[in-house]
Amino acid sequence: MWSSQALPYSYFIPRVFGIFYVEVRHRYQGFVDFQSINNWEEMAMDDRIIKGPPLQVKVNCSLGQYLIDHLRKHEDHVCKIDAITGQFQTNKDILEKSIKLAEILKSRGIKLEDRITISAENHQNWFIAATACLYVGATVAPLNPAYTELEIKHMLNIWKPRIIFVSRRTEKLLVKVVPTLSWPIQLIELDDEALTSKIPTLKSLLNSIKDRIDLYQYNPVDIDDINKRTAVILSSSGTTGLPKGVALSHRNLLYYFENIKKPPYLCLNSNERVLLFLPFYHGYAFSMGFLGMVTGCTLVVMRKFSPELLFSTIEKYRITFLPLVPSALIILAKHPAAPSYDFRSVKEVFCGAAPMPKEILKEAKRRLNVSYIRNGYGMTELSIVVGLSNKSGANDDAIADILPGLQYKIINPETLEILGPMQRGELCVKGEHSLMLGYYGYQVSPVELETLLLSNPGIKDVAVIGKPHQESGELPMAFVVKQPNSKLTAREIMDFVKEKVSPQKWLRGGVRFVDAVPRTPSGKILRRELQKMVSKL
């Protein structure tokens, strides 16, 4: 039966299927089990399968190389303007500073897929840090600057960054949190002056490079497999609990940028002036920020939001392209001050990230003097956006322009039957390059837990493996050989571990007593044999 309630969305299926479902009304519900679907190609022949244009993306470089090529191409264009101060950066400014910062990161030992976090508001140096990370092959893992101490610790413990870029807004809390973590982290201040004297600023680090760097001969680190290497980890919304890290590959983002910038999608070019008040850590604004570099358009950035600042910025900077979320669309439609401002420069309005309220569309279009407002549908797990409404204005909340290489179908969630037009069900999306790598979760060392368990006098031998679990991927499970005459129970062993390690290492997969742990003649644990035993449970 149809349900409007969101299910836990940490369900995981093998990547080979490349399929998951969402509620058609834009509410993510999780993964569905498609083990029973044997032949997707046959199903694609069904006229109830909606297909996007053929996939034509031929880009095979790293994301870092892709960005540096486009920064060079549009080097003279103004890329970002601070809406309040008017300070601006050209693409050449970003190119020069990001290359210098990349060299600094290398000198600090940053290498392929090391995680680097950015915890700051919409700072003018935010994308300099992010771009430099990609040049050296590191993984960008942004944090919401409004996160609480608990949320920050949760996310940092998952991806364990080596460097965190902070602003004066976030520095104080990160200075408090970092010493409580179990690995060394370097902090770098994006503002010109840090609150803490020992924290280096980006400005001071860039000024420390005296040697001239050739901006046109510099090459980013080579990425061996752009399909599997993680470029960015974006936090999910956290609607069912603490946020999760969505891992996107270089290929995921190359596919998105190369397609979304072209007709009939966003159609961005160097003549556009785009207002960006959405938070950079979110996939929506994260992608728009990089699209500014890729297309040569100008991004007018708001560090903070207020209705009056939104209106005055549109008027002052003659904004032509307006990416919105529904709450901002409501403000434009309903706020009494809106009619006092000149919005005639706006040519294109795009709304995403949540369901678009149909009842306010008419008033919003009237106030903005546009014939349509395009609705974008997608999610972080699908590499940001998978479809948009068209420009007819007849049905702004209906997705019509599907990104290339994607297939849609609506199914009955209980029977998996494909439904026809105007039937309500759940939306399945299939795409070769759009599906995330997976959720970046906790890494648990079996050896660490085995060492701990062997310290219990009642345990003679032990082996720990990951037990498959629908929501978490895997859970730690112990195979225990008790000492002769030991009275240990499974609950006592689980409590013993619980008292000594953090929650992700608890034996949530359970404890099973065995007569002996299978080993090779040299003593190595035969974990495959244990996995076979688990599959039979």
Side-chain angles (χ1 to χ4, degrees):
M1 299 293 292
W2 177 263
S3 169
S4 64
Q5 295 301 309
L7 300 174
Y9 60 82
S10 58
Y11 295 178
F12 184 75
I13 57 172
R15 276 194 79 217
V16 65
F17 293 101
I19 308 159
F20 58 91
Y21 74 89
V22 294
E23 185 184 308
V24 74
R25 289 180 294 177
H26 301 257
R27 206 167 180 187
Y28 184 43
Q29 284 203 326
F31 290 91
V32 73
D33 181 6
F34 283 100
Q35 298 284 350
S36 60
I37 297 178
N38 296 316
N39 195 333
W40 254 96
E41 297 308 319
E42 284 185 16
M43 295 179 65
M45 302 297 291
D46 193 311
D47 60 8
R48 293 170 297 177
I49 301 293
I50 304 168
K51 299 170 69 175
L55 187 64
Q56 296 181 339
V57 174
K58 302 295 183 182
V59 181
N60 287 310
C61 61
S62 70
L63 182 56
Q65 185 66 59
Y66 181 80
L67 292 172
I68 208 169
D69 289 344
H70 283 85
L71 284 170
R72 289 167 177 161
K73 179 181 178 181
H74 303 291
E75 64 174 358
D76 294 328
H77 289 277
V78 173
C79 184
K80 292 181 175 62
I81 303 174
D82 186 292
I84 296 177
T85 67
Q87 292 180 317
F88 66 88
Q89 295 171 330
T90 64
N91 282 306
K92 188 174 182 179
D93 292 331
I94 295 173
L95 179 66
E96 181 177 11
K97 291 178 179 179
S98 60
I99 288 176
K100 285 184 176 181
L101 180 56
E103 291 301 294
I104 292 166
L105 295 176
K106 283 184 186 177
S107 72
R108 293 182 172 224
I110 299 300
K111 57 187 184 301
L112 198 64
E113 283 198 334
D114 278 346
R115 274 77 61 204
I116 296 181
T117 288
I118 306 172
S119 178
E121 68 282 10
N122 287 7
H123 198 284
Q124 63 179 346
N125 292 328
W126 203 102
F127 279 98
I128 291 173
T131 307
C133 293
L134 293 168
Y135 293 166
V136 299
T139 297
V140 183
L143 275 182
N144 182 343
Y147 272 169
T148 64
E149 183 176 344
L150 174 64
E151 289 170 319
I152 288 174
K153 285 184 177 180
H154 171 75
M155 300 310 293
L156 294 183
N157 271 303
I158 290 176
W159 51 59
K160 291 184 167 54
R162 293 188 55 193
I163 291 177
I164 303 177
F165 288 93
V166 299
S167 67
R168 288 169 68 93
R169 171 181 169 180
T170 61
E171 179 187 329
K172 186 176 180 180
L173 183 54
L174 267 299
V175 166
K176 177 183 177 183
V177 168
V178 165
T180 69
L181 303 174
S182 62
W183 70 98
I185 297 177
Q186 304 172 55
L187 297 182
I188 297 176
E189 172 62 65
L190 292 175
D191 282 304
D192 289 348
E193 292 185 12
L195 298 172
T196 309
S197 60
K198 293 182 180 179
I199 297 178
T201 65
L202 177 62
K203 181 179 180 180
S204 66
L205 292 174
L206 295 178
N207 288 339
S208 70
I209 297 183
K210 304 301 181 183
D211 296 332
R212 190 175 183 275
I213 297 176
D214 191 328
L215 304 183
Y216 307 98
Q217 296 299 319
Y218 178 84
N219 292 311
V221 169
D222 183 56
I223 303 298
D224 51 3
D225 191 341
I226 62 174
N227 294 298
K228 295 182 180 179
R229 290 290 186 183
T230 303
V232 61
I233 306 170
L234 297 173
S235 297
S236 66
S237 59
T239 52
T240 60
L242 288 170
K244 299 173 180 64
V246 176
L248 299 178
S249 70
H250 288 255
R251 173 71 74 187
N252 286 151
L253 291 170
L254 287 167
Y255 160 82
Y256 175 73
F257 292 143
E258 194 64 13
N259 282 297
I260 200 71
K261 68 179 182 178
K262 299 174 181 176
Y265 309 109
L266 297 188
C267 312
L268 291 171
N269 58 60
S270 59
N271 296 317
E272 302 293 347
R273 293 180 298 280
V274 182
L275 178 59
L276 197 54
F277 63 85
L278 305 166
F280 289 168
Y281 67 84
H282 189 274
Y284 190 170
F286 179 88
S287 63
M288 290 302 303
F290 280 119
L291 279 170
M293 304 178 199
V294 169
T295 63
C297 68
T298 297
L299 301 175
V300 181
V301 177
M302 291 168 52
R303 276 203 186 193
K304 59 182 180 179
F305 180 86
S306 71
E308 290 76 12
L309 182 58
L310 172 67
F311 304 152
S312 63
T313 301
I314 295 172
E315 180 181 83
K316 178 180 178 180
Y317 291 98
R318 309 299 297 159
I319 298 299
T320 62
F321 186 95
L322 196 55
L324 299 174
V325 289
S327 57
L329 194 68
I330 292 170
I331 290 171
L332 281 164
K334 300 291 187 181
H335 199 284
S340 303
Y341 293 85
D342 182 0
F343 299 148
R344 287 176 295 175
S345 61
V346 176
K347 299 175 182 177
E348 187 102 1
V349 183
F350 178 78
C351 191
M356 185 163 64
K358 295 180 67 173
E359 63 274 9
I360 61 99
L361 275 173
K362 184 177 180 180
E363 180 62 19
K365 287 195 282 188
R366 188 186 69 78
R367 284 199 173 179
L368 291 168
N369 193 32
V370 293
S371 60
Y372 60 87
I373 293 177
R374 302 194 75 184
N375 184 23
Y377 177 73
M379 62 185 68
T380 312
E381 289 87 344
L382 268 178
S383 302
I384 319 299
V385 174
V386 292
L388 295 83
S389 59
N390 60 33
K391 296 184 178 183
S392 70
N395 196 355
D396 287 333
D397 67 339
I399 302 305
D401 294 329
I402 300 171
L403 263 67
L406 294 177
Q407 296 180 25
Y408 288 14
K409 67 174 182 175
I410 305 294
I411 66 164
N412 179 317
E414 294 188 355
T415 66
L416 303 187
E417 174 192 4
I418 306 176
L419 303 177
M422 306 309 294
Q423 291 183 279
R424 177 170 290 186
E426 287 160 342
L427 174 64
C428 303
V429 181
K430 178 188 179 184
E432 182 180 353
H433 298 314
S434 62
L435 184 63
M436 66 174 179
L437 291 175
Y439 289 113
Y440 198 89
Y442 286 104
Q443 304 298 307
V444 178
S445 167
V447 175
E448 178 188 355
L449 290 178
E450 287 160 0
T451 301
L452 171 62
L453 286 163
L454 287 171
S455 70
N456 187 307
I459 296 177
K460 181 180 180 181
D461 198 6
V462 66
V464 174
I465 64 168
K467 179 182 179 181
H469 187 263
Q470 191 178 36
E471 292 188 16
S472 301
E474 289 184 331
L475 295 175
M477 178 181 184
F479 288 81
V480 174
V481 180
K482 292 192 287 187
Q483 293 284 8
N485 303 318
S486 171
K487 303 296 185 182
L488 270 179
T489 66
R491 172 52 56 189
E492 288 172 335
I493 292 173
M494 293 171 72
D495 289 342
F496 172 78
V497 172
K498 204 171 187 179
E499 292 173 359
K500 299 181 182 298
V501 296
S502 52
Q504 72 272 14
K505 299 177 184 178
W506 294 352
L507 295 176
R508 299 180 192 272
V511 173
R512 185 176 181 187
F513 294 111
V514 293
D515 295 330
V517 171
R519 295 179 180 270
T520 65
S522 62
K524 185 177 180 180
I525 295 172
L526 292 170
R527 299 188 193 275
R528 288 186 181 179
E529 295 299 317
L530 297 173
Q531 291 288 359
K532 290 178 182 178
M533 294 169 64
V534 170
S535 66
K536 295 177 182 179
L537 294 177

